[in-house]
Amino acid sequence: ITACAEIPCVSQPKGFFFPSCCPPDVVVWPRSVEEVSALAKICHHHCLPIIPFGTGTGLEGGVGAVEGGVCFSLRNMDRVLDVHQEDFDVTVEPGVTRKALNSYLRDTGLWFPVDPGADASLCGMAATSASGTNAVRYGTMRENVLNLEVVLADGTIIHTAGRGRRTRKTSAGYNLTNLFVGSEGTLGLITKTTLRLYGVPEAMVSAVCTFPSVQAAVDSTVQVLQAGVPIARIEFLDDVMIDACNRFNSLSYPVAPTLFLEFHGSEKSLEEQVTVTEEITRDNSGSDFNWARDAETRGRLWKARHDAWYAALALRPGCKAYSTDVCVPLSHLPQIIVETKEDLVLNRLTGPIAGHVGDGNFHCIMVMDPNDQDEVTRVQEFTERLARRALALDGTCTGEHGVGLGKRALLREEMGPMAIEVMQGLKATLDPKNLMNPGKVL
Amino acid sequence: ITACAEIPCVSQPKGFFFPSCCPPDVVVWPRSVEEVSALAKICHHHCLPIIPFGTGTGLEGGVGAVEGGVCFSLRNMDRVLDVHQEDFDVTVEPGVTRKALNSYLRDTGLWFPVDPGADASLCGMAATSASGTNAVRYGTMRENVLNLEVVLADGTIIHTAGRGRRTRKTSAGYNLTNLFVGSEGTLGLITKTTLRLYGVPEAMVSAVCTFPSVQAAVDSTVQVLQAGVPIARIEFLDDVMIDACNRFNSLSYPVAPTLFLEFHGSEKSLEEQVTVTEEITRDNSGSDFNWARDAETRGRLWKARHDAWYAALALRPGCKAYSTDVCVPLSHLPQIIVETKEDLVLNRLTGPIAGHVGDGNFHCIMVMDPNDQDEVTRVQEFTERLARRALALDGTCTGEHGVGLGKRALLREEMGPMAIEVMQGLKATLDPKNLMNPGKVL
């Protein structure tokens, strides 16, 4: 290992999807924040890159050691600390995943709703500003992290809202918590996160509904939100995605734009939510309703959505997948989805679409043969066109996956050079030797 | 005017409540972001402090020119830009107040719910991370600002989420938006803010309810939140405050701990919210219910809460008032309120209590004779004791008013020296000459 930032990982093309393996030189498994701090001090002294590692479920290559260095695997710090039932908060160490937390909370009547799909670690979800299907109702990690314990590049330990603090709101100084949320390991190692919890809803109802067009599905979504229905999930699948799900799970949904819905609340409030939503979707020519109330039927209904990634992969056995992640204002969704589907057809690409339509965020699951360089290039060009299409419509190149390795050039286009300079200034202040997860984000 | 930071405002004691007038040397009224930028460049070149000014309704002396300099009054930039009804967002210039925006939105079916009481400018509310009575349901400015246009100390213009971007979520780079929200004018001048809007609720119901103890009122609040009731406002007034309101408005509420409640939703959902809440409050010995459905009766019912500040002032004509602002986890509220009330009695101080109990945030409205130095000193000592009591209970010295001039020492205790050093580093990066609103926050 040599001095900082001297070994760029030369095998990495710009904007790649399948980072060739970039292993670190060393992996450490600290068991406490004191050990993390002591190890960081050693790295700092010797100018070694530090790569934080939670579960490795991120989608943008955030854990690749592109400049070598020391991987900090935080899985051995896995305690759930301080559940405060009356205050709706909990503090967890970085080895705790969202499923482990919710299982731990089972008897408290509380849960943590942010659900990016993978069973990611909660500190990793904070680091990447994760969200997922429940964000339309419960917000993203940005809205649900109350405090972080962070080890900076030089080993300094800070608490972003002050040690042990967990108020539901604060105006005390700069919002350091949300500076580290979404910083993708480039500003510090998150060793503890304090999260907001929610009461487990009394009841849930799920539904699936088919539409004649993307526009009709999006119009329904806007009207449901406008009507004040506190919908918990509202997910869009395009015809190609539904077709893939049908094949993968032997289902028979109509091959058309489809919404998967979920409602949380009391029995009475669900009744009303369902009535209003049904009325709105019918007015927009929604049809072939499927409703599910008990847990088992709900599970079966949503299985199609949950398995979307695997259903897409199964379209072309032996292929690999990369997910795009643009997000636009709701009113621009029909246009961008229609144009994107035309682009896919024109360029002979497999990219079924699934999206968190209530947030304006959707994914094309690009299935491709990683050994077919021509196809990989076409996917890369498509991905950049899609991102620029989103940027032209007031959108972002990443709604929830982060910038990682592949979207740095797009981030510059999105933010403008002056805002990038501000970000670089913040990075240089907190990590002047550029040791924290180098090569990512900026 | 001389060089930067050379004229401390010597007349200011540390931790004061009534800043003696600290006028700037010059006031400018720019009409566009280009003019703001050009003026900032001149200030930067000549090392003149820059003090952003919205409506001057802040409570922590944030607009005082403690080192002289140039006050940027932004009231002439007062356009509402780009209402996007389908996307639930709007962009406003810094002269637009929250009441002006809601009046502008009247025919759209949308509104902006954050309500700190005063008719503050929305960019000022972003700068101070304001919240208020609706935060328990709709969040604070932190959760409702999508993008900011900011002029930095050297005149550089940036857009914190990229120019014109307004997606409901994003993971694109560092969260600059929430670095500037709550920075109290010390990092830049906010010249535009893009805000989330909400559908106007179909109906509203208000209620007032009396409790035998602070504990009973807080227990009701926790249980209402645990039951998943999407309550819009839940405000606590102590017996002293209620007594003051009775006198001020010729009312006859029982002189006891009291909750003021407001529910938003459809007719049906209101019915259920009200039933559940009534059950919970009765189980906690709540009594003397008053309910109001139509706008006029609701207005009359809430008038007591809305006039709390003036009712407190009327307790001692000729006196002035300062509001404390601590916030603690919900479960610690009864203890801190009971101890604080004992402290008030013991020290012969007038400090009726009103609080946003759903967030754990409450205010003692300290009414005092500004010419009675002994009383002013006792209030100051009380305020510091109260803040330290909150800090000892995992709380913050400021839930929504900000740090301003008076809470800098407390902020240091709250955050710890290392986090303060990080904040100072960020400040030095963005404003190396310390020109932006000097003497505030840090």
Side-chain angles (χ1 to χ4, degrees):
Chain A
I1 302 171
T2 67
C4 345
E6 277 180 15
I7 319 179
C9 196
V10 286
S11 64
Q12 302 298 328
K14 202 176 140 195
F16 54 91
F17 309 111
F18 306 116
S20 33
C21 187
C22 260
D25 299 292
V26 182
V27 181
V28 292
W29 284 271
R31 286 158 301 186
S32 67
V33 63
E34 291 76 20
E35 287 190 3
V36 173
S37 169
L39 286 162
K41 278 180 187 155
I42 293 169
C43 292
H44 190 253
H45 181 74
H46 294 284
C47 275
L48 304 177
I50 293 169
I51 299 100
F53 188 96
T55 52
T57 46
L59 295 170
E60 292 296 340
V63 295
V66 292
E67 300 183 8
V70 181
C71 173
F72 282 57
S73 172
L74 302 168
R75 73 166 68 149
N76 288 345
M77 296 168 67
D78 60 354
R79 288 176 303 166
V80 176
L81 306 165
D82 306 324
V83 178
H84 295 108
Q85 273 184 254
E86 286 203 321
D87 300 324
F88 306 87
D89 68 62
V90 68
T91 299
V92 297
E93 290 187 335
V96 179
T97 67
R98 64 176 186 88
K99 285 187 184 171
L101 175 63
N102 281 328
S103 146
Y104 186 96
L105 293 172
R106 195 167 289 156
D107 298 327
T108 63
L110 299 172
W111 72 312
F112 184 69
V114 181
D115 173 5
D119 187 21
S121 72
L122 292 151
C123 289
M125 286 167 62
T128 55
S129 193
S131 47
T133 51
N134 283 315
V136 64
R137 163 100 174 234
Y138 300 96
T140 73
M141 291 306 280
R142 288 188 176 192
E143 290 83 28
N144 287 295
V145 175
L146 298 176
N147 200 350
L148 296 170
E149 179 183 79
V150 176
V151 175
L152 301 179
D154 65 359
T156 303
I157 302 168
I158 65 165
H159 297 85
T160 55
R163 188 185 184 93
R165 315 223 167 273
R166 52 191 181 86
T167 53
R168 290 166 77 86
K169 67 182 195 186
T170 170
S171 289
Y174 304 152
N175 186 344
L176 297 184
T177 302
N178 271 309
L179 181 59
F180 285 93
V181 170
S183 62
E184 303 186 36
T186 63
L187 299 180
L189 291 129
I190 297 175
T191 52
K192 236 180 244 170
T193 175
T194 302
L195 301 166
R196 272 182 98 131
L197 298 175
Y198 295 80
V200 174
E202 185 186 318
M204 298 188 185
V205 175
S206 301
V208 178
C209 178
T210 301
F211 292 87
S213 66
V214 177
Q215 183 78 51
V218 174
D219 284 351
S220 298
T221 305
V222 169
Q223 288 163 28
V224 165
L225 295 176
Q226 255 165 351
V229 175
I231 198 157
R233 308 186 193 217
I234 184 159
E235 296 283 303
F236 171 82
L237 272 66
D238 80 343
D239 52 342
V240 181
M241 189 78 250
I242 279 289
D243 192 33
C245 291
N246 280 343
R247 287 162 200 256
F248 186 69
N249 278 316
S250 305
L251 299 165
S252 54
Y253 287 116
V255 177
T258 304
L259 288 182
F260 282 67
L261 313 160
E262 193 168 280
F263 306 89
H264 296 173
S266 65
E267 293 289 357
K268 258 199 197 161
S269 109
L270 287 185
E271 215 173 281
E272 192 185 19
Q273 293 185 45
V274 164
T275 310
V276 172
T277 304
E278 207 163 19
E279 207 169 286
I280 289 171
T281 45
R282 278 200 205 288
D283 284 352
N284 287 289
S285 311
S287 61
D288 299 293
F289 270 97
N290 272 287
W291 293 95
R293 289 189 171 260
D294 64 288
E296 203 194 319
T297 325
R298 276 193 289 112
R300 223 169 27 237
L301 202 69
W302 267 78
K303 193 165 171 40
R305 171 64 188 92
H306 286 311
D307 288 345
W309 179 267
Y310 303 100
L313 269 173
L315 287 173
R316 295 175 59 189
C319 283
K320 292 213 165 192
Y322 170 81
S323 172
T324 67
D325 181 40
V326 301
C327 185
V328 296
L330 262 58
S331 63
H332 291 319
L333 261 182
Q335 183 190 341
I336 192 170
I337 290 181
V338 167
E339 287 178 12
T340 299
K341 286 173 70 65
E342 287 168 1
D343 191 343
L344 286 164
V345 171
L346 196 68
N347 289 282
R348 297 165 288 120
L349 293 169
T350 310
I353 292 175
H356 315 306
V357 73
D359 303 314
N361 181 209
F362 71 92
H363 311 297
C364 299
I365 305 178
M366 305 306 300
V367 185
M368 64 191 129
D369 176 357
N371 301 314
D372 180 342
Q373 192 50 53
D374 175 63
E375 187 179 16
V376 170
T377 304
R378 275 183 292 127
V379 169
Q380 184 162 330
E381 288 167 359
F382 163 83
T383 301
E384 286 180 11
R385 273 195 307 279
L386 171 54
R388 297 211 170 92
R389 207 174 283 132
L391 295 185
L393 294 171
D394 305 339
T396 172
C397 68
T398 176
E400 57 181 18
H401 294 172
V403 174
L405 281 161
K407 292 182 197 144
R408 285 170 295 163
L410 288 166
L411 180 69
R412 179 168 283 273
E413 288 178 40
E414 178 168 335
M415 297 299 306
M418 302 322 293
I420 291 287
E421 221 171 83
V422 169
M423 289 185 191
Q424 285 166 335
L426 302 178
K427 164 78 173 169
T429 303
L430 289 166
D431 178 20
K433 291 186 174 183
N434 189 26
L435 297 177
M436 287 304 315
N437 210 6
K440 317 294 165 62
V441 183
L442 293 173
Chain B
I1 300 175
T2 66
C4 346
E6 278 181 14
I7 317 178
C9 196
V10 287
S11 64
Q12 301 299 328
K14 200 175 138 195
F16 54 91
F17 311 109
F18 306 115
S20 34
C21 188
C22 259
D25 300 292
V26 181
V27 181
V28 292
W29 284 271
R31 286 158 302 187
S32 67
V33 63
E34 291 76 20
E35 288 190 3
V36 173
S37 170
L39 286 161
K41 279 179 188 158
I42 294 169
C43 291
H44 191 253
H45 182 74
H46 294 283
C47 276
L48 303 177
I50 294 171
I51 299 100
F53 188 97
T55 51
T57 46
L59 294 170
E60 291 297 339
V63 297
V66 292
E67 299 183 9
V70 181
C71 172
F72 282 56
S73 173
L74 302 169
R75 72 166 69 149
N76 288 344
M77 295 167 67
D78 62 354
R79 289 176 302 166
V80 176
L81 306 165
D82 306 324
V83 178
H84 294 107
Q85 272 184 256
E86 286 203 321
D87 300 324
F88 306 87
D89 69 61
V90 67
T91 299
V92 297
E93 290 187 334
V96 179
T97 67
R98 65 176 185 89
K99 285 188 184 171
L101 174 63
N102 280 327
S103 147
Y104 187 96
L105 293 173
R106 194 166 292 157
D107 299 326
T108 63
L110 300 172
W111 72 311
F112 183 70
V114 181
D115 173 6
D119 188 20
S121 72
L122 293 152
C123 289
M125 285 166 62
T128 56
S129 194
S131 48
T133 51
N134 284 315
V136 66
R137 163 101 175 233
Y138 300 96
T140 73
M141 290 306 279
R142 287 187 176 193
E143 289 83 28
N144 287 293
V145 175
L146 299 176
N147 201 350
L148 296 170
E149 181 182 78
V150 176
V151 176
L152 301 179
D154 65 358
T156 302
I157 302 168
I158 65 165
H159 297 84
T160 55
R163 189 186 184 91
R165 317 223 166 273
R166 52 193 182 84
T167 53
R168 290 166 77 86
K169 66 182 195 186
T170 170
S171 289
Y174 304 152
N175 185 344
L176 297 184
T177 303
N178 270 310
L179 181 60
F180 285 93
V181 170
S183 62
E184 303 186 36
T186 63
L187 299 179
L189 292 128
I190 298 174
T191 51
K192 237 181 243 170
T193 176
T194 302
L195 301 167
R196 272 182 97 131
L197 299 174
Y198 295 80
V200 173
E202 185 186 317
M204 297 187 185
V205 175
S206 300
V208 178
C209 177
T210 302
F211 292 87
S213 66
V214 178
Q215 184 78 51
V218 174
D219 285 351
S220 299
T221 305
V222 169
Q223 289 163 27
V224 165
L225 295 175
Q226 254 165 351
V229 175
I231 198 157
R233 308 184 194 219
I234 184 159
E235 296 283 304
F236 171 82
L237 273 67
D238 80 341
D239 52 340
V240 183
M241 189 78 251
I242 279 288
D243 192 33
C245 291
N246 279 343
R247 287 162 201 255
F248 187 69
N249 278 316
S250 305
L251 299 166
S252 53
Y253 287 115
V255 177
T258 303
L259 288 182
F260 282 67
L261 313 160
E262 193 169 279
F263 306 88
H264 296 173
S266 65
E267 291 290 356
K268 258 197 196 161
S269 107
L270 287 184
E271 215 173 281
E272 192 185 17
Q273 293 185 45
V274 163
T275 309
V276 172
T277 304
E278 207 163 18
E279 207 169 286
I280 289 171
T281 45
R282 277 199 205 289
D283 284 351
N284 287 288
S285 309
S287 61
D288 299 294
F289 270 96
N290 271 287
W291 294 94
R293 289 189 171 262
D294 64 288
E296 203 194 319
T297 323
R298 276 192 289 113
R300 220 166 33 234
L301 201 68
W302 267 78
K303 194 166 168 41
R305 171 63 188 92
H306 287 311
D307 288 346
W309 180 268
Y310 304 100
L313 270 174
L315 287 173
R316 294 175 60 189
C319 283
K320 292 212 164 193
Y322 170 81
S323 173
T324 68
D325 181 40
V326 301
C327 185
V328 295
L330 262 59
S331 63
H332 291 319
L333 261 182
Q335 182 190 342
I336 193 170
I337 290 180
V338 167
E339 287 178 13
T340 299
K341 286 173 70 66
E342 287 168 2
D343 191 343
L344 286 164
V345 172
L346 196 68
N347 288 283
R348 297 165 288 120
L349 293 169
T350 310
I353 292 174
H356 314 306
V357 73
D359 304 313
N361 181 209
F362 71 92
H363 312 296
C364 299
I365 305 178
M366 305 305 301
V367 185
M368 65 191 126
D369 177 356
N371 301 314
D372 180 343
Q373 192 51 51
D374 175 62
E375 186 179 17
V376 170
T377 303
R378 275 184 293 126
V379 169
Q380 183 162 330
E381 288 167 359
F382 163 84
T383 301
E384 286 180 13
R385 272 196 308 278
L386 171 53
R388 297 210 169 93
R389 207 174 284 133
L391 294 186
L393 295 171
D394 306 338
T396 172
C397 69
T398 176
E400 58 180 18
H401 294 171
V403 174
L405 280 161
K407 292 181 196 144
R408 284 170 296 163
L410 288 166
L411 180 69
R412 178 168 284 274
E413 288 177 40
E414 178 168 336
M415 297 298 307
M418 302 321 294
I420 291 287
E421 221 170 83
V422 169
M423 290 185 191
Q424 285 166 335
L426 301 178
K427 165 79 172 168
T429 303
L430 289 166
D431 178 20
K433 292 186 175 183
N434 189 25
L435 297 177
M436 288 304 314
N437 210 7
K440 317 293 165 62
V441 183
L442 292 173

